Amino acid sequence: MSVLPPNASGGPRGRGTAFNPPNRFEPWHYEPDPDLPPEDQPLPRTRFLHAASVRVLSFNDSPDLGFSVSLNPYRGCEHGCAYCYARPTHEYLGFSSGLDFESIILVKLDAPERLREELSSPRWEPQPIALSGVTDCYQPIERRLQLTRRCLAVLAEFRNPVCVVTKNYLVTRDADLLVELARDGAATVCLSITTLDAELARRLEPRASLPDHRLAAIRFLAAAGVPVGVLVAPVIPGLTDHEMFRILEAAARAGARFACYSVLRLPHAVEQLFLDWLDRTVPLRKEKILNRLRQIREGRLTDGRFGTRLTGTGPEAERLARMFDVACRRAGLMAPFPELSAAAFRVPSPPGGAVQPELPLGTEHHG
C-alpha cells in the first residue's frame, strides 16, 4: 500500500520540484507571477544545451566514494529526483538547483572523442571509471543521443573497467558492451532503488524507471552475465527505511549479487526543495521524517563531513546500519562490491596507424 495520501498534490507535471530557489552564487533570481494561479504558471520545457568539453574525466579524493574517476555525459538530470544531492552543481553554471536542474540539461556531445583522447594519453593510469558519478547517464535523452553507449564502446575498445550506477531500465540496451567488458572482469552495474512503492516513486523520481522496471533490469543483466547489484539510496528515515528488507529481497530474487546503501543528504538548496516536496506530498509525515533525519545528523538536516555524510552518526544511524546488515544476510547479499580489473587495458592502434603494443598493468609508458 502506498504511503501517499489520496489527495497528495505535486508541482508541475512530471517534475520533482515546484520552483527555482535562488542560486547562491547569483545576485538575482526569477520570481513567478504571484497573481497567476498555479495551473496557469508557465511549465518549464526541457532544453538541451551543448557543453563543449576539454576533458570529460573528473577526479576526486573523497574517502566516502568507491571510485576516484567519474564520467558524466550530462549535466543536470531530467529524472527530477526531489532529493538529488547533485542539484547544487547546476548553480556553478548560473542556473538554479530547482526546476532548472531538471529542465536545462547540458550535453557533452564530444564526450566519446574526449574520452578516447584521455585514455590514449601516456598520463592515464588504467583504473575503474564510474559512469553516473553525479547525474544519471541513462536519463531520457540518452535514448536519442546515445552518448553513454558511445562512451561505453570506447571503454570496451580500451578494455578499461567501468561501474555504471543508474535508475533507468535503458541500461539493458547496452548489455552487449557490458558483457564484453565483464569477460575481462571490467564491468559492473548498480541499480539504485529508493522504494518499491510505484506511486511514491513517481512523486520522488518522476522521470526515472519505475521500481519494477529497475528490478527487471537487474534480472536482464544478471542473465546476460553482467555482475549487477542494488544501491538502496537514498534511505529516507520515516518514509522509506521500512522497505529495506523488501528491496533487498526483491533485488536478490532478480539476480543481484551485492548491495550497498546511503542515507538522504540535503546539501545547500536541496534542503529547501525537499522540505517543499514534503509539504506538497506527505505533509502529515513531514515532522516525523525531519526528526528522524536530525537524529542521524547530530541535530541537523544535513552533514557534509567526509566519513559520515553517507551513513550519519549516532544510535539511529547505527540502527540503520544493523538493519541493512541483517537484511543483506537474510536476502543472501553478502558478497562485497566487485573488484574491477584493469589488467586487460590496452591502447588500440589508430586507423591506418602503427600497432600500439599492449602494456602490462603497472608498466610505465613514457611518451
Side-chain angles (χ1 to χ4, degrees), residues 8 64 93 108 111 136 182-183 251 262 268 270 295 299 314-315 320 326 343 363:
D64 297 321
L93 304 172
K108 302 175 184 178
D136 202 312
R183 292 194 188 104
S262 66
H268 304 296
V270 183
Q295 292 175 35
L320 277 179
V326 171
T363 301

Side-chain angles (χ1 to χ4, degrees), residues 326-346:
V326 171
C328 283
R329 286 199 297 270
R330 184 174 295 179
L333 290 172
M334 298 304 296
F337 198 95
E339 277 198 33
L340 297 176
S341 172
F345 179 84
R346 62 173 184 175

Side-chain angles (χ1 to χ4, degrees), residues 42-65:
L43 291 178
R45 303 295 179 187
T46 305
R47 291 181 288 160
F48 300 97
L49 309 180
H50 176 212
S53 305
V54 177
R55 300 177 62 89
V56 292
L57 295 180
S58 300
F59 295 79
N60 76 82
D61 57 1
S62 170
D64 297 321
L65 302 178

Side-chain angles (χ1 to χ4, degrees), residues 248-262:
L248 292 173
E249 288 170 0
R253 285 197 301 270
R257 299 185 188 179
F258 59 92
C260 42
Y261 82 102
S262 66

Side-chain angles (χ1 to χ4, degrees), residues 311-324:
T311 56
T313 59
E316 180 64 14
E318 293 170 5
R319 185 190 70 82
L320 277 179
R322 288 195 301 270
M323 186 168 72
F324 178 77

